[in-house]
Amino acid sequence: MILTGLMQNKPLLISGLLRHAATYHPDVEIVSCLHGGEMRRSNWATVARRAGRVAARLGELGLAPGDRVATLAWNTDRHLELYYAVAGTGAVLHTVNPRLFPEQIAYIINHAADGIVFFDLDFAELVVRLAPQLTTVHRFVALCRPDQLPALDLPGLVSYETLVDEGRDDYDWPEFDENAASSMCYTSGTTGNPKGVLYSHRSTLLHSFAACAADGLALTARDCVLLAVPMFHVNAWGVPYAAAMCGARLVLPGSGLGGDRLFAHLRDEGCTLSLGVPTVWLGLFQYLEQAGASVDASALRLQRVVIGGSAAPRAIIEKFERLLGVFVIQAWGMTETSPLATIANLLPKHDGAPLEARFAVQSRQGRAIFGVEVGVFDADGRRLPHDGKSVGEIRVRGPWVLSGYYGNPPDSALDDDGWFSTGDVAFIDADGYVQITDRSKDVIKSGGEWISSIDLENAAMGHPQVREAAVIGVPHSRWQERPLLIVVPKPDAVIDRAGLLDFLAARVARWWLPDDVVFVDDLPHTATGKLLKTRLRDDFRGYRLPTDTD
Ligand code: ADP
C-alpha cells in the first residue's frame, strides 16, 4: 500500500508568486514603455498592491471564479497586473492576440464567453467595431486614466485607473485548488478555427520553475529582461510568472518592437536577457546594419537571447555571438505546451568546442526540459530512436502540456498513451537535441523523400544579401513536389537566382536545391510572426517550375 507523504499540501497558486515578489523583491523595477517613448517605472511591490486593488474591485463588480476576462493589450505593467489580478481571484485571463483578423477575435471572445474586455486605447476602434458581435461581454475597461477615457459607445465602459482607485488595499488572495484554470490562449488558427488552451495555476507554476532552472532559461534576480515577445503570445513564454518567482527586473516595451526601440531599451535599461521570435531579431540587426558606426553596441550588457516561435536562423545565432557577444538559446514549444518544451542549452562536452560546432548545437531546438517528455514517432505510431536521422512526428506529454482543448473533455487531445501530437516533424540526436525539420503540413515530399523547408530557409538566410526567405513545396509532375525558394532581398541588394543557388549548393544536399527562386518585396506572416505558408501556397498555386517539363 502506498504510504502518503507527510508534507504540506499547499496549492501552487499564481497569487503566491506575486506575494513572493512583493515581499523579497519589492523595489525591483517593472519598466513600461508608453506611447511617445516615455518610460513608466513601477516595481513588484506596486504591481502587487495595484493587482490586489483591481482583484478586489472586480470581485465587487461580480467577477466569479472560473469567469473569463479578455485582454487586448501590449506589454505594459497594467497588463502584468491583470495577469495576477484576474488569475489570483480564481477567474481566467484570456490574452487575445490583437493582430488576428477581427472575425477571429470575435470568434474567440465569444467561444471563451469572456465577460469583461480590457483594452489598450490603440484598440479602441477595433473594440467598438467588434462590440455588437461580442455576445457575452458586459463590461469594457480601457487601460488608461479617467482623464484619457474616450467617449465610446461600449457597455459599462470605465478606465483601468478608476478600478485601481476604487479597489481596496486589504484584498486577501483566496486559496483554492491548484488545478483551477488561470489563463487561456487560442492557437492562431492557421488551419481551421482557433482552439482554446486552458492553463492551470499548477501548470503555470511548474512551468515557471522550469524557466528559472539553470538549464531552463536560467532566469534569476540578477536578470533584467526585455520582454520582446508579446504578452498575448502564449503568456509571453511564461516570463511574467517566472520573473516574479525569481524577482527579475522586467522591461516591457509596449507596442514598439522595432529594432531602434529594442536597441534603445537594451542599452538604456542594461538588459541582460531578452526573448523574441526571429523576425524581431531580424529587425534589430537590420537597424544595427543601417545605423552602422552611429550606435555603440559595446554599451550593451546583454548576455542571453531566447529565440523561439519559429526556427532560429543560424545567421542570427552567429550575428548575436560575433557582433554582440550574446549567447542565443533556442527554445521550442507551442501554445499547447505553455510553451517551453525543449531548450538548447549546452552540455559539458561542448566546453571549448569551436564556434562553428557550437552554432550547430544552438541551431537545434534543444533538449527536453524535465517536465516534458518528447518523443518522435513514425506514421505507424512507433517510437523512433534518438539517432540523429530517424525523422517523424513529435509527440509530447507532461504536466504543462494540454490534455484537451477548451470546451472538449479532459484527455480528448491525447492518444491512448497520453501523448499529444504536435504536428511538428523532427529527429532527435544521441544527446537528446531535437531538430525540427518542418511542420507536417509544410514538409516537401519529393520523390518519396522529405526535404526540410526550415533547413533550406535557414541556409538561404545565411546569404548576406537575403533579408528573409521562405520555401514551399510546389507540385511537380515527376517528383510529386519540389522546393520553391521565395526571397526578400535586403534593400539595395545585388543578388540573382544563379548566385543564390550557387550559395545554397555549397550548403545543402544537391537534390534539395530549390527548382526555382522568386524575389518578392515582402513575405506574409501570421499574427505571431511566423511565415504564413498557407498564404504563400495560395499565392503560388498553379506555379509552374522550370524543371517541370512534362
Ligand atoms: P500556432 O501554432 O498557433 O502558430 P504557436 O505559437 O503555438 O502558434 O506555434 C507553435 C509552433 O511554432 C510549433 O508547433 C512549431 O511549428 C513552431 N516553433 C516554435 N518554436 C520553434 C523553433 N524553435 N523552431 C522551429 N519551429 C518552432
Side-chain angles (χ1 to χ4, degrees):
M1 198 184 72
I2 282 182
L3 183 61
T4 302
L6 280 171
M7 304 308 283
Q8 297 182 16
N9 198 6
K10 277 296 263 185
L12 299 169
L13 295 179
I14 284 172
S15 53
L17 292 173
L18 192 59
R19 212 179 287 122
H20 178 82
T23 308
Y24 293 101
H25 307 279
D27 302 328
V28 172
E29 278 187 326
I30 308 296
V31 186
S32 308
C33 183
L34 310 182
H35 275 301
E38 186 201 336
M39 305 302 275
R40 180 168 57 215
R41 292 180 185 277
S42 182
N43 58 37
W44 280 114
T46 305
V47 167
R49 186 173 52 77
R50 287 165 52 90
R53 295 181 76 112
V54 173
R57 187 66 190 127
L58 288 176
E60 288 165 9
L61 292 172
L63 185 74
D67 285 355
R68 274 82 59 209
V69 172
T71 57
L72 278 161
W74 302 118
N75 290 12
T76 65
D77 53 342
R78 287 176 177 143
H79 204 176
L80 183 70
E81 288 160 9
L82 285 170
Y83 262 57
Y84 288 96
V86 173
T89 66
V92 181
L93 186 78
H94 173 198
T95 50
V96 181
N97 184 340
R99 297 194 190 120
L100 293 172
F101 294 120
E103 314 80 73
Q104 283 182 322
I105 295 179
Y107 171 87
I108 66 175
I109 290 180
N110 287 334
H111 190 267
D114 297 324
I116 308 179
V117 173
F118 287 79
F119 63 96
D120 268 324
L121 288 181
D122 279 359
F123 307 118
E125 209 180 292
L126 172 73
V127 167
V128 168
R129 198 149 37 95
L130 289 178
Q133 301 167 50
L134 306 180
T135 49
T136 54
V137 178
H138 54 80
R139 180 177 293 281
F140 289 86
V141 182
L143 292 162
C144 65
R145 298 189 309 264
D147 59 297
Q148 296 169 315
L149 188 67
L152 304 171
D153 182 18
L154 291 170
L157 179 66
V158 62
S159 84
Y160 181 76
E161 292 302 325
T162 303
L163 289 190
V164 176
D165 291 344
E166 290 172 353
R168 307 186 317 269
D169 262 335
D170 60 352
Y171 183 73
D172 251 344
W173 297 104
E175 194 161 293
F176 44 80
D177 181 357
E178 64 184 17
N179 290 301
S182 55
S183 67
M184 72 192 305
C185 291
Y186 277 71
T187 62
S188 30
T190 37
T191 50
N193 272 330
K195 295 192 283 269
V197 180
L198 196 58
Y199 309 98
S200 69
H201 286 257
R202 173 185 156 81
S203 71
T204 304
L205 264 83
L206 294 176
H207 184 264
S208 305
F209 280 117
C212 292
D215 279 321
L217 302 183
L219 202 63
T220 75
R222 285 166 297 286
D223 276 313
C224 173
V225 184
L226 175 63
L227 201 58
V229 54
M231 290 171 74
F232 51 75
H233 188 189
V234 209
N235 300 314
W237 302 353
V239 171
Y241 303 114
M245 181 174 269
C246 67
R249 185 163 174 258
L250 281 180
V251 178
L252 305 172
S255 61
L257 293 182
D260 53 341
R261 302 299 312 145
L262 292 184
F263 182 79
H265 294 323
L266 290 171
R267 181 194 55 207
D268 300 347
E269 301 298 333
C271 299
T272 56
L273 170 70
S274 188
L275 309 91
V277 296
T279 31
V280 160
W281 306 121
L282 288 178
L284 176 71
F285 284 109
Q286 198 186 0
Y287 164 71
L288 291 178
E289 275 168 39
Q290 279 164 4
S294 66
V295 294
D296 178 12
S298 69
L300 299 186
R301 288 183 53 216
L302 190 63
Q303 295 160 359
R304 291 137 40 234
V305 161
V306 180
I307 304 185
S310 305
R314 180 170 169 142
I316 292 190
I317 298 173
E318 288 199 35
K319 275 187 189 162
F320 265 119
E321 181 81 39
R322 294 192 201 274
L323 302 181
L324 303 177
V326 168
F327 182 76
V328 167
I329 304 166
Q330 175 153 201
W332 167 83
M334 60 202 313
T335 310
E336 289 88 336
T337 64
S338 295
L340 296 174
T342 67
I343 302 182
N345 282 305
L346 300 178
L347 293 170
K349 70 193 280 186
H350 302 120
D351 283 353
L355 265 187
E356 290 299 318
R358 173 138 93 51
F359 292 149
V361 178
Q362 289 170 271
S363 300
R364 300 220 152 141
Q365 276 68 24
R367 308 167 77 233
I369 41 178
F370 177 76
V372 184
E373 266 182 277
V374 179
V376 171
F377 292 76
D378 70 11
D380 300 322
R382 275 187 303 253
R383 194 162 179 177
L384 297 170
H386 295 187
D387 60 5
K389 57 177 196 261
S390 300
V391 173
E393 193 198 16
I394 305 189
R395 297 183 189 171
V396 288
R397 57 185 181 190
W400 60 85
V401 175
L402 138 147
S403 101
Y405 289 100
Y406 181 61
N408 295 340
D411 297 343
S412 53
L414 310 181
D415 68 14
D416 290 346
D417 297 320
W419 292 100
F420 171 74
S421 294
T422 64
D424 281 338
V425 175
F427 62 78
I428 303 181
D429 71 18
D431 290 325
Y433 287 88
V434 169
Q435 168 92 52
I436 308 263
T437 56
D438 250 314
R439 283 195 132 178
S440 52
K441 51 187 181 289
D442 295 337
V443 78
I444 300 160
K445 298 189 173 112
S446 171
E449 302 274 0
W450 287 5
I451 297 176
S452 160
S453 65
I454 293 183
D455 278 0
L456 280 175
E457 283 156 8
N458 235 322
M461 301 264 280
H463 191 289
Q465 308 278 352
V466 169
R467 165 136 197 242
E468 206 178 0
V471 175
I472 55 169
V474 171
H476 191 287
S477 45
R478 173 152 183 231
W479 297 109
Q480 180 187 359
E481 266 185 350
R482 288 295 301 159
L484 169 69
L485 171 61
I486 307 160
V487 167
V488 182
K490 287 192 177 158
D492 307 323
V494 187
I495 182 174
D496 63 9
R497 181 180 184 281
L500 197 49
L501 289 176
D502 274 351
F503 177 83
L504 289 181
R507 286 164 179 81
V508 302
R510 215 182 140 60
W511 63 278
W512 279 35
L513 273 185
D515 286 32
D516 205 1
V517 183
V518 177
F519 294 94
V520 296
D521 292 336
D522 242 327
L523 286 169
H525 291 99
T526 68
T528 48
K530 296 180 217 296
L531 287 169
L532 187 53
K533 298 236 176 131
T534 44
R535 168 94 64 79
L536 280 176
R537 279 193 284 265
D538 281 347
D539 291 351
F540 286 89
R541 179 150 299 141
Y543 188 85
R544 194 160 175 85
L545 292 166
T547 52
D548 193 358
T549 49
D550 283 4

